[in-house]
Amino acid sequence: GDSGSTEANVTVGKSAVLDQETGNYTLELSVTGDRGSTTAESQVDVLFIIDRSASMQYSIYGGTTRMAAVKDAVSTLVDSINNTDDSIDVRYRAIQFSDADGTKTVGDGWYTENRASRFKTQVNNITTNEGTNWEAGIHEGIDVLKNSGRPNATQIVVFLSDGVPTYSGGFGRENEHGDGSDHENTDWPYVGQDEDTISGFADDAAEEIQNLDCDYFFAIGIGSDFSGSESRGRTYMNRLANHVKDGIPTRVLSANSEDDLKSAFDAIEEVTRFFAANTVEMVDPLSDYADLVAVADGANAGKYEITLGLEKRESTDAEYTPIENAEQTLYVSKDDTTGAPVTLTDGVESVP
């Protein structure tokens, strides 16, 4: 088949497949590429939920502190998106969490691309505090998205922590593990907190995250607590991600070095760009050299049958695979001069 390019880096491919029994050809038209356009920017809200517990001052393998590495990764991500992609109308916001009193919004709300430098400054001003209350950070994130997230924006949540939860509760309510105000974790390892108690804190966070509405959820564990798939930190982080609402894609990543953290943020950037689109309009005359064959009989006799399908891949290096039950078929008369709108869905996201 032949191929070419249109604006917004959309690549169109076309091929003809011979049906050996009938002697007819099936014309196949495909489109891949960016999902936004420079004339109709897609809205994306990126929310970071950042652990500010005292252990974030510990060094990550490679020399710098965990907190410094996170701040640098956030800054690099913001710069990369803002400097290279004009098809996205992106906003950024950050929440810092520790104990109940130390969990709050960073700065003064959402930051647009024009205020990106201000956002980076506010993130750089985050200081550490005692305690790790996953539940409080998630609760604050839910509240932010519910009250100020843009309804038509793709919402991406990035949860970062360097340790297992040592608090739960707070934010005006109690649970069976307390109200977020009692904290006996003044010495390592977790004086006064046995594993069952810590597991309870993780359960509280997992219960809270079921109220989160977003389009993609990342959970990044930083440091030795998250080394290996069977580590205690990874176990609790997986538990958290597994309680995100069905249909919301989630990824759990570990970062034991600055390079690991960079790789995790590269994945966030890739998803940000991928989800940054609402509509791709494609017009193609098929070919001036092909005679279309109409349906021979039935209710659609005399019309042309067009079947639309949807494929996806997990990364830019992976192969595209068809999505089951995503096909739609429409019938077009030869006198039709305009197309019909079609929305395909993979059960998670719709593509109009």
Side-chain angles (χ1 to χ4, degrees):
D2 55 24
S3 63
S5 297
T6 71
E7 293 182 358
N9 297 323
V10 173
T11 301
V12 175
K14 184 167 55 179
S15 61
V17 180
L18 174 64
D19 185 328
Q20 298 286 352
E21 294 184 1
T22 65
N24 294 327
Y25 287 84
T26 298
L27 296 179
E28 295 186 348
L29 182 68
S30 64
V31 59
T32 59
D34 292 349
R35 304 180 57 212
S37 72
T38 57
T39 57
E41 293 181 338
S42 298
Q43 296 181 340
V44 182
D45 289 344
V46 183
L47 175 65
F48 299 96
I49 304 176
I50 301 173
D51 184 354
R52 60 178 296 220
S53 61
S55 57
M56 288 290 284
Q57 298 180 88
Y58 298 170
S59 64
I60 192 170
Y61 296 120
T64 191
T65 67
R66 298 168 182 178
M67 182 62 81
V70 168
K71 292 175 179 178
D72 183 64
V74 170
S75 178
T76 300
L77 174 66
V78 170
D79 286 344
S80 181
I81 292 175
N82 288 356
N83 293 338
T84 63
D85 202 322
D86 57 2
S87 66
I88 305 175
D89 171 15
V90 63
R91 300 190 310 174
Y92 306 98
R93 188 161 180 170
I95 292 166
Q96 53 185 331
F97 70 91
S98 54
D99 58 14
D101 293 334
T103 299
K104 53 190 176 182
T105 290
V106 175
D108 56 357
W110 291 99
Y111 291 82
T112 62
E113 295 174 71
N114 292 334
R115 301 177 65 217
S117 60
R118 177 65 176 167
F119 174 71
K120 294 188 296 180
T121 298
Q122 294 297 326
V123 170
N124 282 332
N125 288 338
I126 295 176
T127 58
T128 56
N129 192 35
E130 285 295 329
T132 307
N133 191 335
W134 286 8
E135 185 187 16
I138 292 164
H139 176 84
E140 183 72 15
I142 292 169
D143 188 62
V144 162
L145 291 177
K146 185 180 297 183
N147 293 320
S148 63
R150 292 178 292 185
N152 295 322
T154 297
Q155 296 175 336
I156 299 173
V157 176
V158 183
F159 179 85
L160 301 110
S161 182
D162 77 331
V164 298
T166 59
Y167 274 96
S168 67
F171 49 86
R173 77 170 181 85
E174 297 187 15
N175 56 42
E176 63 178 300
H177 302 107
D179 63 0
S181 62
D182 296 326
H183 183 47
E184 301 181 24
N185 180 26
T186 56
D187 298 299
W188 184 266
Y190 305 114
V191 172
Q193 295 181 346
D194 58 26
E195 199 66 32
D196 286 342
T197 302
I198 294 171
S199 181
F201 295 150
D203 285 340
D204 294 334
E207 180 180 350
E208 182 66 23
I209 207 168
Q210 295 178 66
N211 300 311
L212 175 68
D213 286 307
C214 64
D215 295 287
Y216 211 102
F217 178 77
F218 280 92
I220 303 176
I222 305 168
S224 57
D225 260 351
F226 301 90
S227 297
S229 59
E230 302 300 322
S231 63
R232 61 202 294 265
R234 187 64 181 254
T235 298
Y236 293 139
M237 195 75 89
N238 284 337
R239 184 186 304 177
L240 182 72
N242 288 338
H243 281 77
V244 173
K245 287 181 180 179
D246 290 343
I248 298 177
T250 64
R251 290 186 68 178
V252 178
L253 303 169
S254 297
N256 296 310
S257 67
E258 291 182 79
D259 287 342
D260 288 346
L261 193 60
K262 181 182 181 303
S263 295
F265 271 71
D266 285 345
I268 296 168
E269 180 178 353
E270 180 179 330
V271 168
T272 302
R273 296 184 188 281
F274 176 78
F275 277 116
N278 298 322
T279 302
V280 172
E281 181 178 348
M282 179 179 61
V283 178
D284 187 87
L286 292 181
S287 177
D288 293 332
Y289 304 100
D291 292 324
L292 300 182
V293 178
V295 177
D297 50 31
N300 294 298
K303 295 183 178 181
Y304 303 114
E305 180 181 284
I306 299 175
T307 301
L308 302 175
L310 190 63
E311 296 183 344
K312 69 176 181 180
R313 58 182 179 180
E314 297 301 322
S315 69
T316 55
D317 297 328
E319 295 291 330
Y320 283 101
T321 57
I323 297 172
E324 295 183 3
N325 303 318
E327 286 190 351
Q328 286 197 35
T329 300
L330 43 143
Y331 295 89
V332 181
S333 298
K334 66 178 181 179
D335 296 328
D336 289 342
T337 57
T338 59
V342 176
T343 298
L344 302 177
T345 180
D346 66 353
V348 175
E349 189 181 19
S350 297
V351 181

